[in-house]
Amino acid sequence: NYHFGGRDGLIAQAMALGYERYVEGLWEAASAAGEDPVDRLMAWIDRQIDWTCENPGLSAALDFPTFVTSVPANM
């Protein structure tokens, strides 16, 4: 509560950090794919799929942010 102003602030900060890492990973994958636009797009899509499988909870929270704060505290 002290650093984030409460549970919602903590969740918001965690989601922001997770999203930042997600975007960085997408850019890294696209950059590593070379100059061909199709290769870059495919690398971007592949990274999205891999990241979603690796981070199911965070990906759900980023897709449905309004539900994150409505979960009862005892969950």
Side-chain angles (χ1 to χ4, degrees), residues 40-52:
R40 291 174 66 87
L41 176 61
M42 293 306 297
W44 181 282
I45 292 169
D46 287 343
R47 184 62 201 136
Q48 284 182 315
I49 293 168
D50 291 344
W51 186 89
T52 300

Side-chain angles (χ1 to χ4, degrees), residues 38-68:
V38 174
D39 291 343
R40 291 174 66 87
L41 176 61
M42 293 306 297
W44 181 282
I45 292 169
D46 287 343
R47 184 62 201 136
Q48 284 182 315
I49 293 168
D50 291 344
W51 186 89
T52 300
C53 292
E54 294 164 4
N55 301 279
L58 185 54
S59 63
L62 291 172
D63 287 338
F64 306 100
T66 56
F67 293 110
V68 173

